[in-house]
């Protein structure tokens, strides 16, 4: 049975169709790893649902997993298939071993680890890992109890035995490469083919889906996310716009946000960058909820901040407090530090009961001691607090000797040492929210700002935000919203921010001052078409045609003809001729068919240095040439923007959209020329036309806007 039978009811995008094809090829190939990269709105989950249905039809065994409980729950709800956390899927919670041991009885620097499960179906099953951008391959530091090697990706591959040549099992990593990488890493290793091949010697197949599904094309959140994603993949961080559309994107002020937040009846989350911001927002919400700054209360929403093996709860899980003791249990722990000084740490615990939703929305309740130090502190325990917890355990069990079975059992089951690390869960950092999805997401823009900047109300500057780190954080944050996105005072800047219009009269005065001329020429396409056909250029990209036409037009005025034209890779070679003299020029262009301004002599085909120097002088600073292409048989009559160019330079498509939207009914774009660091537009209105250059710099920000002729009848559309 073909895999496509499970997608007959869908109108697959070309990206989806290619991904399905590549998945089917992968199942029958020797490759062990497949990476399916899918950006927001591209239909990755739809594809996963059909793929799993296909595996069930073929009786192929698989495990569906995600890095966090919430991510597993989301994929379960969207596909209808059972999903678990990676930890639950690959580790044995009952097999604990000591892996490091210190002779110092008061030293906490020793570890226990839970072993990787034996996978009896490694030879003929598939591990499917969703939200793979979150899978880390760095050592988990600061954990007394550790899973496996402490490197999740390494343990996944070990569990699947994918490095064993005799094993036929495979892993499929699905994820969004535009999202945040794991904490402590600059990239997502499970979505990096080169890393997997170099580090684990694994052959990788892959497919990528960028195109937003047609039914989601009018979704404002996906539209904004796609623009941010294109900036990430193109490397131009010059366009950021999350202004309200009053449909699914809203901009409540800081003074309004709390009432707006409370008015949302469905699930909601607040996302920020800094732990300090999250704590402030959590305290504000709790004061409004409880009427005062009270200790943790029943009905409080919390998020787990560290794995707890004794209770079976994991970092990043959300819960609701069902009971909380009104009193705390505190102890002052003193110990020696370097230099013979004494350090004292106060530890405080409170007994709580928490209700958790599991992957299938079934509730589970756990009871234990939470550590108040962590609740109001940083997002980690200090080394002194970690040591104090261990010394407190030792004080309460003075007869136990480290390294014995009795010591191991006591420390595993100790409710104070294995206390619950939790934070309030109304507002969380973006890393904590990653993998989850909420109908309503409120985003506070405290990333990429200077110290003491009032990000809640002051106008943002682009400084600190025109980089991949900020865009990746923003993309991850806003895609947590499935229905409504509330951005409180978001930054706003565009490639147009520094655009300056310089009118034709100003240019003329400047030219008179400097002695320059800038006369624009118009050529009817019918007059040049025979020359284009002669050299096989009638179907060439417009930038190549325009480059040829400009040289043909200005050189023929000096009785110089084009004798030959040839394209070799990214080089274009001309041979010009006048009587018996020849001069050969070599130009370069990039993958977008945009020419560089420099050129080089080809001595083998040049017999006149004098002619070469004359042509170089003529073409050194040529005036623009407007080609009237409309209604010419055999020539493209409407402006179409190349998708590849849009991916490489998305701000050029933004310019086209802005100009198109500004045109009145009788104004049309007759031509676009993509020239290095400028876009040249020809706009027509009732038989008249104007040519305008839009210059931009290497970072994709537009600068000068220059009309290239005095006839600017159609130019008013650009000044609206």
């Amino acid at each position: 049975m073909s895999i496509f039978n499970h997608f007959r009811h869908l109108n697959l995008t070309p990206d989806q169709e290619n991904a399905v094809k590549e998945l089917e090829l992968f199942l029958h190939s020797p490759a062990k790893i497949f990476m399916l990269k899918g950006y927001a709105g591209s239909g990755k989950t739809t594809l996963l649902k059909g793929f799993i249905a296909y595996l069930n039809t073929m009786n192929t065994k698989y495990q569906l997993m995600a890095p966090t409980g919430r991510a597993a729950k989301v994929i379960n709800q969207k596909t209808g298939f059972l999903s678990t956390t990676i930890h639950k899927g690959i580790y044995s919670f009952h097999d604990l071993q000591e892996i490091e041991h210190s002779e110092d009885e008061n030293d906490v620097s020793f570890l226990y680890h839970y072993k990787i499960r034996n996978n009896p179906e490694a030879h003929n099953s598939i591990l499917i890992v969703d939200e793979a951008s979150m899978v880390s391959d760095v050592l988990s530091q600061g954990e007394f109890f550790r899973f496996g090697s402490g490197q999740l990706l390494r343990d996944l591959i070990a569990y699947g035995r994918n490095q064993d040549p005799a094993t036929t099992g495979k892993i499929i990593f699905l994820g969004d490469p535009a999202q945040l990488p794991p904490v402590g890493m600059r990239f997502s290793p499970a979505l990096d083919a080169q890393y997997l091949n170099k580090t684990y010697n694994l052959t990788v197949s892959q497919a990528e889906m960028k195109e937003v599904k047609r039914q989601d094309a009018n979704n404002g959140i996906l539209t904004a996310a796609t623009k941010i994603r294109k900036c990430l993949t193109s490397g131009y961080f010059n366009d950021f716009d999350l202004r309200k559309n009053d449909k699914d994107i809203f901009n409540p002020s800081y003074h309004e946000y709390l009432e707006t937040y409370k008015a949302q009846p469905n699930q909601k989350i607040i996302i920020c960058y800094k732990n300090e911001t999250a704590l402030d927002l959590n305290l504000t919400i709790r004061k409004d909820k409880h009427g005062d700054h009270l200790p943790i209360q029943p009905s409080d929403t919390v998020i787990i901040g560290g794995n707890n093996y004794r209770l079976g709860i994991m970092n990043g899980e959300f819960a609701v407090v069902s009971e909380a003791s009104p009193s705390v249990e505190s102890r002052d722990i003193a110990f020696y530090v370097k230099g013979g000084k004494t350090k004292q740490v106060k530890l405080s615990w409170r007994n709580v009961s928490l209700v958790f939703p599991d992957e299938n929305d079934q509730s589970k309740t756990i009871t234990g001691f939470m550590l108040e130090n962590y609740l109001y502190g940083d997002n980690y325990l200090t080394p002194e607090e970690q040591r104090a917890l261990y010394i407190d355990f030792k004080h309460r069990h003075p007869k136990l000797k480290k390294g014995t079975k009795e010591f191991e059992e006591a420390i595993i089951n100790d409710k104070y040492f294995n206390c619950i690390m939790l934070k309030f869960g109304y507002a969380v950092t973006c890393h904590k929210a990653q993998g989850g999805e909420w109908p309503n997401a409120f985003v506070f823009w405290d990333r990429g700002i200077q110290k003491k900047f009032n990000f809640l109300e002051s106008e943002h500057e682009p400084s600190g935000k025109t980089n991949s780190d900020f865009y990746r954080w923003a993309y991850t944050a806003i895609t947590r919203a499935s229905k409504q996105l509330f951005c409180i005072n978001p930054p706003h800047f565009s490639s147009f921010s520094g655009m300056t219009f310089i009118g034709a009269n100003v240019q003329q005065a400047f030219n008179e001052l400097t002695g320059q001329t800038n006369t624009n020429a118009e050529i009817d396409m019918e007059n040049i078409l025979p020359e284009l056909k002669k050299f096989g250029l009638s179907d060439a990209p417009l930038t190549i045609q325009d480059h040829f036409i400009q040289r043909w037009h200005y050189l023929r005025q000096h009785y110089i003809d084009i004798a030959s034209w040839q394209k070799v890779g990214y080089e274009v070679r001309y041979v010009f001729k006048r009587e018996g003299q020849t001069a050969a020029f070599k130009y370069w262009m990039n993958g977008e068919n945009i020419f560089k301004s420099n050129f080089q002599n080809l001595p083998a085909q040049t017999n006149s240095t004098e002619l070469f120097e004359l042509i170089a002088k003529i073409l050194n600073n040529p005036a623009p040439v407007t080609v009237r292409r409309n209604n010419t048989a055999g020539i493209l009559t409407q402006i179409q923007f190349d998708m590849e160019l849009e991916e490489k330079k998305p701000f050029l498509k933004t310019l086209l959209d802005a100009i198109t939207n500004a045109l009145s009914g009788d104004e049309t774009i007759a031509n676009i020329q993509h020239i290095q660091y400028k876009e040249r537009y020809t706009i027509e209105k009732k038989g008249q036309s104007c040519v305008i250059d839009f210059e931009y710099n290497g970072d994709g920000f537009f600068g000068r806007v220059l009309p290239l002729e005095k006839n600017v009848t159609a130019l008013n559309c650009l000044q609206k």
Side-chain angles (χ1 to χ4, degrees):
M1 176 185 290
S2 170
I3 191 173
F4 281 96
N5 289 345
H6 292 273
F7 297 94
R8 285 180 174 175
H9 62 293
L10 300 173
N11 292 319
L12 298 178
T13 66
D15 283 351
Q16 287 179 311
E17 190 169 337
N18 177 67
V20 172
K21 177 184 175 183
E22 293 297 326
L23 273 168
E24 189 169 37
L25 290 172
F26 166 72
L27 291 177
H28 301 96
S29 76
K32 298 291 184 72
I33 306 292
F34 188 88
M35 294 189 316
L36 178 56
K37 301 177 182 179
Y39 298 103
S42 63
K44 177 172 58 72
T45 304
T46 300
L47 218 65
L48 176 60
K49 185 176 181 179
F51 178 69
I52 295 176
Y54 171 70
L55 295 181
N56 285 330
T57 302
M58 303 302 292
N59 293 319
T60 302
K61 295 179 180 178
Y62 67 89
Q63 285 180 261
L64 180 58
M65 297 180 285
T68 67
R70 190 164 192 92
K73 178 182 176 182
V74 169
I75 201 65
N76 187 348
Q77 291 174 334
K78 288 188 174 183
T79 66
F81 297 109
L82 178 64
S83 176
T84 67
T85 63
I86 297 172
H87 288 77
K88 187 175 180 180
I90 73 171
Y91 295 112
S92 171
F93 283 76
H94 305 290
D95 197 353
L96 185 68
Q97 292 185 343
E98 187 173 349
I99 57 175
E100 290 185 23
H101 184 82
S102 172
E103 295 301 324
D104 185 352
E105 283 293 319
N106 291 321
D107 189 357
V108 74
S109 61
F110 69 103
L111 298 169
Y112 290 97
H113 83 141
Y114 290 90
K115 292 181 65 176
I116 302 171
R117 290 179 189 271
N118 177 43
N119 182 6
E121 297 173 348
H123 288 281
N124 58 359
S125 67
I126 298 174
L127 305 181
I128 304 172
V129 181
D130 194 34
E131 296 290 352
S133 64
M134 300 170 64
V135 177
S136 177
D137 206 29
V138 294
L139 187 65
S140 297
Q141 300 287 0
E143 288 194 338
F144 188 79
F145 297 103
R146 178 182 292 168
F147 280 121
S149 68
Q151 293 176 248
L152 188 57
L153 179 59
R154 180 178 297 275
D155 291 347
L156 257 172
I157 292 170
Y159 174 75
R161 294 162 65 180
N162 301 103
Q163 291 175 292
D164 183 352
T167 301
T168 58
K170 299 171 182 282
I171 299 181
I172 297 176
F173 291 114
L174 298 92
D176 187 337
Q179 287 193 29
L180 289 170
V183 175
M185 301 195 75
R186 298 290 298 174
F187 66 100
S188 297
L191 296 177
D192 191 311
Q194 185 177 358
Y195 179 86
L196 290 169
N197 181 261
K198 183 178 179 180
T199 307
Y200 297 105
N201 195 30
L202 292 169
T203 304
V204 179
S205 300
Q206 58 184 308
E208 186 175 43
M209 300 192 302
K210 296 178 179 178
E211 185 179 355
V212 175
K213 294 178 294 182
R214 189 175 295 120
Q215 63 266 32
D216 293 327
N218 294 322
N219 183 308
I221 300 171
L222 286 180
T223 299
T226 300
K227 289 186 69 175
I228 293 174
R229 192 276 300 166
K230 287 180 178 178
C231 289
L232 273 167
T233 52
S234 69
Y236 289 99
F237 307 106
N238 56 357
D239 194 352
F240 198 87
D241 189 358
L242 288 167
R243 288 175 295 179
K244 64 180 181 178
N245 59 15
D246 290 329
K247 181 183 67 173
D248 49 16
I249 300 179
F250 305 90
N251 297 147
S253 70
Y254 173 61
H255 301 288
E256 300 169 333
Y257 97 88
L258 187 56
E259 292 304 315
T260 307
Y261 172 84
K262 288 158 51 179
Q264 306 312 311
N266 297 320
Q267 291 176 305
K268 50 204 171 188
I269 192 70
I270 297 175
I271 299 169
C272 55
Y273 175 67
K274 298 179 180 179
N275 289 304
E276 178 186 359
T277 306
L279 179 58
D280 288 344
L281 292 171
N282 277 316
L283 294 179
T284 299
I285 291 171
R286 293 191 70 252
K287 182 179 180 182
D288 180 82
K289 179 175 181 173
H290 301 302
D292 202 352
H293 290 300
L294 300 178
I296 195 166
Q297 297 290 306
S299 81
D300 268 329
T301 298
V302 295
I303 183 171
I304 303 302
N307 298 325
N308 190 301
Y309 313 95
R310 187 177 71 90
L311 298 174
I313 55 178
M314 305 300 295
N315 188 2
E317 287 190 73
F318 285 84
V320 172
V321 179
S322 60
E323 294 181 35
S325 172
S327 61
V328 296
E329 187 174 337
S330 299
R331 286 189 285 273
D332 291 315
I333 312 298
F335 51 88
Y336 290 108
V337 294
K338 287 183 179 180
K341 295 182 178 180
T342 301
K343 178 74 175 180
Q344 186 163 305
V345 175
K346 184 173 184 175
L347 298 175
S348 298
W349 297 267
R350 187 187 301 272
N351 195 38
V352 294
S353 292
L354 307 175
V355 181
F356 291 82
D358 65 12
E359 298 94 334
N360 302 308
D361 265 342
Q362 300 297 312
S363 64
K364 63 177 180 180
T365 301
I366 64 99
T367 299
F369 280 98
M370 56 154 282
L371 188 66
E372 295 251 322
N373 303 57
Y374 184 84
L375 178 65
Y376 295 102
D378 291 324
N379 206 35
Y380 56 88
L381 287 182
T382 66
E384 291 81 7
E385 287 171 328
Q386 291 179 348
R387 190 174 182 187
L389 280 170
Y390 177 62
I391 293 174
D392 173 70
F393 170 79
K394 291 283 294 177
H395 287 169
R396 290 183 286 104
H397 301 84
K399 295 182 180 180
L400 293 179
K401 184 176 177 60
K402 187 164 66 173
T404 63
K405 188 66 177 175
E406 292 77 15
F407 184 96
E408 176 185 315
E409 290 180 357
I411 201 166
I412 290 172
N413 295 302
D414 189 82
K415 59 186 179 181
Y416 297 101
F417 184 80
N418 293 285
C419 51
I420 303 169
M421 308 294 179
L422 59 79
K423 298 269 187 194
F424 296 116
Y426 306 100
V428 300
T429 62
C430 193
H431 263 117
K432 291 290 188 182
Q434 193 172 359
E437 187 177 272
W438 290 261
N440 304 287
F442 291 73
V443 181
F444 284 77
W445 301 91
D446 61 336
R447 201 201 195 295
I449 59 173
Q450 297 178 343
K451 288 183 178 179
K452 298 183 180 179
F453 174 76
N454 182 7
F455 63 88
L456 299 171
E457 297 178 278
S458 297
E459 184 176 349
H460 289 263
E461 293 290 333
S463 176
K465 302 176 182 67
T466 55
N467 57 72
S468 63
D469 289 343
F470 176 80
Y471 272 69
R472 197 174 296 280
W473 181 89
Y475 176 89
T476 307
I478 70 171
T479 52
R480 299 311 92 206
S482 62
K483 299 293 184 184
Q484 295 186 115
L485 173 66
F486 300 86
C487 294
I488 291 81
N489 192 34
H492 173 239
F493 54 89
S494 76
S495 55
F496 306 148
S497 298
M499 188 178 277
T500 303
F501 188 90
I502 301 179
N505 58 336
V506 176
Q507 290 184 69
Q508 182 180 1
F510 181 80
N511 291 339
E512 291 173 356
L513 177 67
T514 60
Q516 298 180 19
T517 60
N518 193 24
T519 304
N520 183 64
E522 286 196 11
I523 297 175
D524 197 303
M525 194 65 192
E526 293 180 356
N527 295 332
I528 188 60
L529 190 55
E531 288 293 317
L532 292 175
K533 289 181 177 179
K534 175 181 175 181
F535 292 99
L537 295 174
S538 57
D539 294 323
L542 298 186
T543 52
I544 293 178
Q545 287 187 3
D546 289 340
H547 194 266
F548 177 92
I549 292 169
Q550 187 182 58
R551 278 138 192 81
W552 171 83
H553 173 74
Y554 284 109
L555 293 181
R556 70 174 181 160
Q557 298 175 25
H558 297 268
Y559 305 101
I560 300 171
D561 298 321
I562 299 177
S564 71
W565 183 96
Q566 184 182 22
K567 182 177 181 294
V568 181
Y570 291 111
E571 298 177 1
V572 169
R573 301 169 183 176
Y574 290 86
V575 177
F576 302 108
K577 184 177 181 180
R578 184 169 68 178
E579 298 178 348
Q581 297 177 311
T582 60
F585 285 66
K586 178 167 67 174
Y587 291 88
W588 293 269
M589 62 181 185
N590 61 20
E592 301 163 11
N593 298 316
I594 297 176
F595 283 85
K596 296 182 178 180
S597 57
N598 57 321
F599 53 80
Q600 180 179 310
N601 186 13
L602 296 172
Q605 295 172 279
T606 300
N607 65 16
S608 173
T609 302
E610 180 184 0
L611 181 62
F612 179 87
E613 291 176 351
L614 173 62
I615 295 172
K617 183 178 180 181
I618 295 170
L619 298 179
N620 187 43
N621 188 27
V625 174
T626 301
V627 183
R628 300 174 64 87
R629 284 185 167 87
N630 285 5
N631 304 318
T632 302
I635 298 295
L636 191 66
T637 58
Q638 67 179 36
I639 301 300
Q640 294 179 332
F641 209 84
D642 184 77
M643 287 184 63
E644 184 178 355
L645 179 57
E646 182 181 349
E647 283 290 333
K648 291 181 178 178
K649 295 184 178 180
F651 59 94
L652 299 185
K653 179 61 164 59
T654 302
L655 175 66
L656 173 62
D657 292 341
I659 294 175
T660 301
N661 292 334
L663 293 176
S664 63
D666 54 355
E667 295 164 338
T668 60
I669 299 173
N671 188 24
I672 303 175
Q673 297 179 59
H674 305 299
I675 305 170
Q676 190 172 31
Y677 294 120
K678 70 176 67 173
E679 292 286 274
R680 179 165 292 164
Y681 275 71
T682 302
I683 298 177
E684 293 187 344
K685 178 178 181 179
K686 297 180 179 179
Q688 296 180 307
S689 68
C690 64
V691 180
I692 312 102
D693 274 356
F694 296 85
E695 298 178 344
Y696 59 88
N697 63 19
D699 294 322
F701 286 93
F702 287 98
R704 299 190 305 172
V705 179
L706 305 171
L708 301 184
E709 56 184 294
K710 294 181 181 179
N711 177 16
V712 292
T713 305
L715 200 57
N716 65 317
C717 66
L718 300 174
Q719 297 174 302
K720 293 179 180 178

